[in-house]
mmCIF file of all heavy atoms in Angstrom:
data_model
loop_
_atom_site.group_PDB
_atom_site.id
_atom_site.type_symbol
_atom_site.label_atom_id
_atom_site.label_comp_id
_atom_site.label_asym_id
_atom_site.label_seq_id
_atom_site.Cartn_x
_atom_site.Cartn_y
_atom_site.Cartn_z
ATOM 1 N N PRO A 24 181.842 51.100 226.124
ATOM 2 C CA PRO A 24 183.197 51.638 226.326
ATOM 3 C C PRO A 24 183.288 52.709 227.414
ATOM 4 O O PRO A 24 184.355 52.937 227.984
ATOM 5 C CB PRO A 24 183.568 52.229 224.965
ATOM 6 C CG PRO A 24 182.692 51.537 223.986
ATOM 7 C CD PRO A 24 181.419 51.235 224.727
ATOM 8 N N SER A 25 182.172 53.358 227.729
ATOM 9 C CA SER A 25 182.225 54.433 228.730
ATOM 10 C C SER A 25 182.029 53.934 230.159
ATOM 11 O O SER A 25 182.110 54.724 231.093
ATOM 12 C CB SER A 25 181.165 55.493 228.406
ATOM 13 O OG SER A 25 179.872 54.955 228.584
ATOM 14 N N ILE A 26 181.795 52.640 230.337
ATOM 15 C CA ILE A 26 181.615 52.087 231.684
ATOM 16 C C ILE A 26 182.991 51.869 232.295
ATOM 17 O O ILE A 26 183.769 51.054 231.811
ATOM 18 C CB ILE A 26 180.809 50.770 231.655
ATOM 19 C CG1 ILE A 26 179.433 51.014 231.043
ATOM 20 C CG2 ILE A 26 180.688 50.185 233.053
ATOM 21 C CD1 ILE A 26 178.607 49.755 230.829
ATOM 22 N N GLY A 27 183.282 52.608 233.351
ATOM 23 C CA GLY A 27 184.609 52.558 233.954
ATOM 24 C C GLY A 27 184.795 51.465 234.980
ATOM 25 O O GLY A 27 185.851 50.834 235.043
ATOM 26 N N ASP A 28 183.789 51.205 235.785
ATOM 27 C CA ASP A 28 183.889 50.194 236.837
ATOM 28 C C ASP A 28 183.816 48.797 236.211
ATOM 29 O O ASP A 28 182.888 48.491 235.465
ATOM 30 C CB ASP A 28 182.746 50.376 237.847
ATOM 31 C CG ASP A 28 182.841 49.391 238.982
ATOM 32 O OD1 ASP A 28 183.860 49.398 239.684
ATOM 33 O OD2 ASP A 28 181.884 48.605 239.143
ATOM 34 N N GLU A 29 184.804 47.951 236.519
ATOM 35 C CA GLU A 29 184.895 46.637 235.890
ATOM 36 C C GLU A 29 183.717 45.730 236.232
ATOM 37 O O GLU A 29 183.220 45.004 235.382
ATOM 38 C CB GLU A 29 186.217 45.953 236.267
ATOM 39 C CG GLU A 29 186.485 44.662 235.517
ATOM 40 C CD GLU A 29 186.520 44.819 233.999
ATOM 41 O OE1 GLU A 29 186.882 45.902 233.503
ATOM 42 O OE2 GLU A 29 186.165 43.846 233.306
ATOM 43 N N SER A 30 183.235 45.769 237.466
ATOM 44 C CA SER A 30 182.096 44.903 237.819
ATOM 45 C C SER A 30 180.829 45.365 237.087
ATOM 46 O O SER A 30 180.034 44.537 236.636
ATOM 47 C CB SER A 30 181.875 44.855 239.328
ATOM 48 O OG SER A 30 181.487 46.114 239.813
ATOM 49 N N ASP A 31 180.658 46.669 236.951
ATOM 50 C CA ASP A 31 179.520 47.185 236.186
ATOM 51 C C ASP A 31 179.636 46.800 234.715
ATOM 52 O O ASP A 31 178.653 46.457 234.067
ATOM 53 C CB ASP A 31 179.421 48.705 236.302
ATOM 54 C CG ASP A 31 178.991 49.173 237.682
ATOM 55 O OD1 ASP A 31 178.494 48.333 238.466
ATOM 56 O OD2 ASP A 31 179.167 50.366 237.969
ATOM 57 N N ARG A 32 180.856 46.844 234.207
ATOM 58 C CA ARG A 32 181.099 46.469 232.811
ATOM 59 C C ARG A 32 180.788 44.986 232.583
ATOM 60 O O ARG A 32 180.165 44.620 231.597
ATOM 61 C CB ARG A 32 182.542 46.782 232.437
ATOM 62 C CG ARG A 32 182.895 46.483 231.014
ATOM 63 C CD ARG A 32 184.350 46.900 230.741
ATOM 64 N NE ARG A 32 184.797 46.464 229.460
ATOM 65 C CZ ARG A 32 184.459 47.017 228.311
ATOM 66 N NH1 ARG A 32 183.661 48.056 228.297
ATOM 67 N NH2 ARG A 32 184.914 46.551 227.182
ATOM 68 N N GLN A 33 181.208 44.133 233.516
ATOM 69 C CA GLN A 33 180.934 42.699 233.383
ATOM 70 C C GLN A 33 179.431 42.413 233.430
ATOM 71 O O GLN A 33 178.920 41.572 232.697
ATOM 72 C CB GLN A 33 181.671 41.903 234.461
ATOM 73 C CG GLN A 33 183.175 41.859 234.270
ATOM 74 C CD GLN A 33 183.556 41.318 232.898
ATOM 75 O OE1 GLN A 33 183.045 40.310 232.452
ATOM 76 N NE2 GLN A 33 184.473 42.020 232.227
ATOM 77 N N GLU A 34 178.735 43.134 234.307
ATOM 78 C CA GLU A 34 177.289 42.966 234.389
ATOM 79 C C GLU A 34 176.620 43.414 233.087
ATOM 80 O O GLU A 34 175.723 42.744 232.576
ATOM 81 C CB GLU A 34 176.730 43.741 235.575
ATOM 82 C CG GLU A 34 175.266 43.481 235.814
ATOM 83 C CD GLU A 34 174.785 44.081 237.109
ATOM 84 O OE1 GLU A 34 174.924 45.321 237.275
ATOM 85 O OE2 GLU A 34 174.282 43.327 237.938
ATOM 86 N N ALA A 35 177.083 44.519 232.525
ATOM 87 C CA ALA A 35 176.545 45.001 231.254
ATOM 88 C C ALA A 35 176.830 44.000 230.133
ATOM 89 O O ALA A 35 175.981 43.758 229.273
ATOM 90 C CB ALA A 35 177.130 46.371 230.909
ATOM 91 N N LEU A 36 178.015 43.387 230.172
ATOM 92 C CA LEU A 36 178.357 42.387 229.161
ATOM 93 C C LEU A 36 177.465 41.152 229.278
ATOM 94 O O LEU A 36 177.048 40.590 228.263
ATOM 95 C CB LEU A 36 179.832 41.979 229.283
ATOM 96 C CG LEU A 36 180.828 42.982 228.727
ATOM 97 C CD1 LEU A 36 182.246 42.613 229.146
ATOM 98 C CD2 LEU A 36 180.717 43.038 227.211
ATOM 99 N N ARG A 37 177.166 40.708 230.505
ATOM 100 C CA ARG A 37 176.262 39.573 230.688
ATOM 101 C C ARG A 37 174.878 39.905 230.124
ATOM 102 O O ARG A 37 174.248 39.087 229.462
ATOM 103 C CB ARG A 37 176.163 39.184 232.160
ATOM 104 C CG ARG A 37 177.347 38.379 232.648
ATOM 105 C CD ARG A 37 177.098 37.738 234.003
ATOM 106 N NE ARG A 37 176.775 38.700 235.040
ATOM 107 C CZ ARG A 37 177.672 39.369 235.762
ATOM 108 N NH1 ARG A 37 178.957 39.182 235.556
ATOM 109 N NH2 ARG A 37 177.283 40.217 236.696
ATOM 110 N N TYR A 38 174.403 41.104 230.393
ATOM 111 C CA TYR A 38 173.097 41.532 229.886
ATOM 112 C C TYR A 38 173.124 41.598 228.353
ATOM 113 O O TYR A 38 172.189 41.155 227.679
ATOM 114 C CB TYR A 38 172.721 42.883 230.491
ATOM 115 C CG TYR A 38 171.279 43.251 230.278
ATOM 116 C CD1 TYR A 38 170.278 42.621 231.008
ATOM 117 C CD2 TYR A 38 170.919 44.220 229.364
ATOM 118 C CE1 TYR A 38 168.945 42.953 230.819
ATOM 119 C CE2 TYR A 38 169.591 44.557 229.178
ATOM 120 C CZ TYR A 38 168.608 43.926 229.903
ATOM 121 O OH TYR A 38 167.298 44.250 229.707
ATOM 122 N N LEU A 39 174.206 42.130 227.809
ATOM 123 C CA LEU A 39 174.353 42.236 226.361
ATOM 124 C C LEU A 39 174.365 40.849 225.713
ATOM 125 O O LEU A 39 173.735 40.635 224.674
ATOM 126 C CB LEU A 39 175.636 43.002 226.024
ATOM 127 C CG LEU A 39 175.846 43.413 224.584
ATOM 128 C CD1 LEU A 39 174.733 44.334 224.115
ATOM 129 C CD2 LEU A 39 177.188 44.089 224.430
ATOM 130 N N ARG A 40 175.058 39.881 226.327
ATOM 131 C CA ARG A 40 175.074 38.519 225.789
ATOM 132 C C ARG A 40 173.657 37.927 225.789
ATOM 133 O O ARG A 40 173.280 37.210 224.862
ATOM 134 C CB ARG A 40 176.027 37.630 226.572
ATOM 135 C CG ARG A 40 177.488 37.864 226.216
ATOM 136 C CD ARG A 40 178.384 36.795 226.805
ATOM 137 N NE ARG A 40 178.478 36.887 228.244
ATOM 138 C CZ ARG A 40 179.372 37.600 228.910
ATOM 139 N NH1 ARG A 40 180.279 38.298 228.261
ATOM 140 N NH2 ARG A 40 179.390 37.610 230.227
ATOM 141 N N GLY A 41 172.889 38.205 226.843
ATOM 142 C CA GLY A 41 171.503 37.737 226.873
ATOM 143 C C GLY A 41 170.678 38.332 225.745
ATOM 144 O O GLY A 41 169.902 37.629 225.090
ATOM 145 N N LEU A 42 170.859 39.626 225.508
ATOM 146 C CA LEU A 42 170.143 40.266 224.398
ATOM 147 C C LEU A 42 170.572 39.668 223.065
ATOM 148 O O LEU A 42 169.742 39.435 222.185
ATOM 149 C CB LEU A 42 170.392 41.776 224.398
ATOM 150 C CG LEU A 42 169.703 42.569 225.503
ATOM 151 C CD1 LEU A 42 170.189 44.017 225.483
ATOM 152 C CD2 LEU A 42 168.192 42.512 225.347
#
Side-chain angles (χ1 to χ4, degrees):
S25 67
I26 300 174
D28 182 59
E29 188 58 29
S30 66
D31 290 345
R32 182 177 172 76
Q33 290 304 313
E34 187 171 58
L36 283 169
R37 282 193 302 275
Y38 193 74
L39 190 61
R40 283 191 291 270
L42 288 173

